[in-house]
Every structure is written in C-alpha cells, then in structure tokens.
Amino acid sequence: MEDKGILIVISGPSGAGKGTVVEEIKKDRTYALSISATTRQPRSYEKDGEHYFFKSVYEFKNMIGGGKLLEWAEFCGNYYGTPRDYVVGKLEEGYNVILEIEVQGALQVKKIYPEAVLVFLIPPNREELKNRLSGRGTEDMETIEKRLKRASEEIELIPEYDYVVVNDEVELAVKRIKEIVDVSKMASARYVDKIRDFK
Ligand code: ADP
Ligand code: 5GP
C-alpha cells in the first residue's frame, strides 16, 4: 500500500450499531481500527487491549498530560480517548484507519485532520434505538436513560458530519461506509502532488 490511508470517524448514538458495523468493516485487511483508552468499567465480554485499553482516571489523566491522546472526551461520566501513535503510524502505512468515537472527539479530529471523513451512523428510528440499547443488555436502566438523553444532543450535531449512514441492516451499512471511503480516495485534494508529475 503506497498512498496514505483515509481517516474515517464513525459516531452515532449509543446502540446505533457502531461496534457491530465496525467489527465487520475491520475484517477487510485494508482497514485498521483504533483501540481507545477509557475509564469505563469493562463489560463482561470485553477484553483489555482488544475492545479498549481500560484505565484508571489517574492513568488516563497521565495519558492526556503526556500528549499520548489524539483527542479525548467525557461521555456519560467516563473518559474516552484515542491513542495518537497507532493512528498516525497506520495512516502512514496506507491503512484506512477507523475511529469509533463520540461527537466531541470527532470534532476535535476534524480540526487536526481536516481531510478526515466524518460519518454519523443512525438507527432507522428512535424506537429501534431504544430496543437495540436495551436488547444489548449491557447497561442498567439509569445508564440507558442517560445515553438516550445524550443521543438527542448528539443528533443535533449531524450537520457537522460529512455523511449520514442509516444502519437498518448491518451488511448494507458496511457497504455504504466502504463506498464513502472509496469515493473519498478519489478526492482531488489527495492528488495535488501526483498531478505535478503530469505538468
Ligand atoms: P453501539 O456500538 O453503537 O453502541 P452496538 O454495535 O453495540 O451499538 O449495537 C447495539 C445492539 O444493536 C447490539 O445488540 C447489536 O447486536 C444490535 N444491532 C446492531 N446493528 C443492528 C442492525 N442493523 N439491526 C438489528 N440490530 C442491530
Ligand atoms: P461505550 O461505552 O458504549 O463503549 O462508548 C460510549 C461512547 O464513547 C460511544 O459513543 C463511543 O463511540 C465513544 N468512544 C469510544 N472511544 C472513544 C474515544 O477514543 N474518544 C471519544 N471521544 N469517544 C469514544
């Protein structure tokens, strides 16, 4: 892989299906998924270093202080952040790098990397969001309510994103996101250096 990869940021309300969709996309070996650091408690199936790097608040703050995070944010009472070196390295190697992060972090990334492609993943409707979030069975009622309330605020920020993808069926949502990436590869801005050779 010779060209620099595309940086894809995927956000969306909790329960929209980001994790599910991203899990599918990363089966394609041209994609690399960034693993975030978080202070949230691991869910029963989550493994340290695979789903997240689980950190104490003290450790997380040290990562911020040491400039180790590309972006970070607080979400429903926990900290989340993207380790910088992995993202920078994989992009250089030509991988399309996926960040599955919430809206405040996505906007920070857009400032640092204006060429990043921001995708907002939504469920077909609010009822389905509720069903998915409660059906997942990983959060208690209070946390679900918090996340649904936050979802309404997050949706307000859709105009800041480049694309909206509806996650009605996982397979279709994956296809749509890959199409966006393929099109982004043809953006004229990526050809500035190459075009010089034609003159
Ligand atoms: P997020 O990462 O956005 O919080 P998840 O990927 O954990 O969401 O998905 C939330 C729940 O919805 C999971 O139980 C998942 O299996 C389910 N789900 C995801 N995408 C779909 C879909 N297209 N149709 C039906 N259920 C889905
Ligand atoms: P969850 O607790 O459901 O795994 O994640 C909660 C929210 O935090 C989701 O919107 C998820 O996308 C977001 N998130 C996960 N990792 C990061 C990160 O590194 N940075 C930011 N800003 N948000 C993240």
mmCIF file of all heavy atoms in Angstrom, residues 2 7 15 64 92 108 158 160 185:
data_model
loop_
_atom_site.group_PDB
_atom_site.id
_atom_site.type_symbol
_atom_site.label_atom_id
_atom_site.label_comp_id
_atom_site.label_asym_id
_atom_site.label_seq_id
_atom_site.Cartn_x
_atom_site.Cartn_y
_atom_site.Cartn_z
ATOM 1 N N GLU A 2 0.780 2.052 -1.045
ATOM 2 C CA GLU A 2 1.708 3.182 -1.117
ATOM 3 C C GLU A 2 1.096 4.500 -0.649
ATOM 4 O O GLU A 2 1.751 5.275 0.030
ATOM 5 C CB GLU A 2 2.230 3.328 -2.546
ATOM 6 C CG GLU A 2 1.221 2.846 -3.582
ATOM 7 C CD GLU A 2 1.744 2.900 -4.979
ATOM 8 O OE1 GLU A 2 2.502 1.991 -5.372
ATOM 9 O OE2 GLU A 2 1.374 3.886 -5.642
ATOM 10 N N LEU A 7 -8.666 8.562 7.000
ATOM 11 C CA LEU A 7 -9.061 8.546 8.404
ATOM 12 C C LEU A 7 -10.584 8.675 8.480
ATOM 13 O O LEU A 7 -11.146 9.695 8.071
ATOM 14 C CB LEU A 7 -8.372 9.693 9.154
ATOM 15 C CG LEU A 7 -8.644 9.794 10.647
ATOM 16 C CD1 LEU A 7 -8.239 8.516 11.374
ATOM 17 C CD2 LEU A 7 -7.899 10.983 11.260
ATOM 18 N N GLY A 15 -25.939 2.460 20.914
ATOM 19 C CA GLY A 15 -26.941 1.483 20.499
ATOM 20 C C GLY A 15 -27.258 1.550 19.008
ATOM 21 O O GLY A 15 -27.999 0.712 18.489
ATOM 22 N N ILE A 64 -3.249 12.014 28.969
ATOM 23 C CA ILE A 64 -3.535 13.358 28.440
ATOM 24 C C ILE A 64 -2.297 14.244 28.636
ATOM 25 O O ILE A 64 -1.808 14.869 27.690
ATOM 26 C CB ILE A 64 -4.736 14.015 29.161
ATOM 27 C CG1 ILE A 64 -6.010 13.178 28.998
ATOM 28 C CG2 ILE A 64 -4.959 15.446 28.648
ATOM 29 C CD1 ILE A 64 -7.197 13.694 29.812
ATOM 30 N N GLU A 92 0.140 6.319 7.864
ATOM 31 C CA GLU A 92 1.383 6.387 7.074
ATOM 32 C C GLU A 92 1.615 5.090 6.301
ATOM 33 O O GLU A 92 2.090 5.097 5.184
ATOM 34 C CB GLU A 92 2.591 6.658 7.984
ATOM 35 C CG GLU A 92 2.732 8.105 8.432
ATOM 36 C CD GLU A 92 2.879 9.085 7.265
ATOM 37 O OE1 GLU A 92 3.472 8.699 6.246
ATOM 38 O OE2 GLU A 92 2.364 10.219 7.371
ATOM 39 N N GLN A 108 -12.946 17.380 17.362
ATOM 40 C CA GLN A 108 -11.510 17.660 17.606
ATOM 41 C C GLN A 108 -10.667 17.091 16.469
ATOM 42 O O GLN A 108 -9.732 17.725 15.993
ATOM 43 C CB GLN A 108 -11.056 17.018 18.920
ATOM 44 C CG GLN A 108 -11.639 17.625 20.177
ATOM 45 C CD GLN A 108 -11.204 16.824 21.416
ATOM 46 O OE1 GLN A 108 -10.022 16.534 21.622
ATOM 47 N NE2 GLN A 108 -12.154 16.447 22.253
ATOM 48 N N ILE A 158 -25.357 16.458 13.682
ATOM 49 C CA ILE A 158 -25.259 15.804 12.363
ATOM 50 C C ILE A 158 -24.751 16.760 11.268
ATOM 51 O O ILE A 158 -23.924 16.347 10.447
ATOM 52 C CB ILE A 158 -26.606 15.152 11.974
ATOM 53 C CG1 ILE A 158 -26.785 13.853 12.773
ATOM 54 C CG2 ILE A 158 -26.680 14.856 10.472
ATOM 55 C CD1 ILE A 158 -28.051 13.079 12.465
ATOM 56 N N GLU A 160 -22.481 18.764 11.255
ATOM 57 C CA GLU A 160 -21.003 18.869 11.284
ATOM 58 C C GLU A 160 -20.348 17.689 10.560
ATOM 59 O O GLU A 160 -19.152 17.701 10.313
ATOM 60 C CB GLU A 160 -20.491 18.875 12.732
ATOM 61 C CG GLU A 160 -21.071 19.953 13.621
ATOM 62 C CD GLU A 160 -20.548 21.328 13.247
ATOM 63 O OE1 GLU A 160 -19.452 21.416 12.678
ATOM 64 O OE2 GLU A 160 -21.269 22.309 13.518
ATOM 65 N N LYS A 185 -11.229 8.416 -1.472
ATOM 66 C CA LYS A 185 -9.889 8.157 -2.016
ATOM 67 C C LYS A 185 -9.664 8.927 -3.318
ATOM 68 O O LYS A 185 -8.537 9.159 -3.718
ATOM 69 C CB LYS A 185 -9.729 6.660 -2.293
ATOM 70 C CG LYS A 185 -9.542 5.857 -1.050
ATOM 71 C CD LYS A 185 -8.397 4.863 -1.220
ATOM 72 C CE LYS A 185 -7.932 4.361 0.122
ATOM 73 N NZ LYS A 185 -8.388 3.019 0.426
#
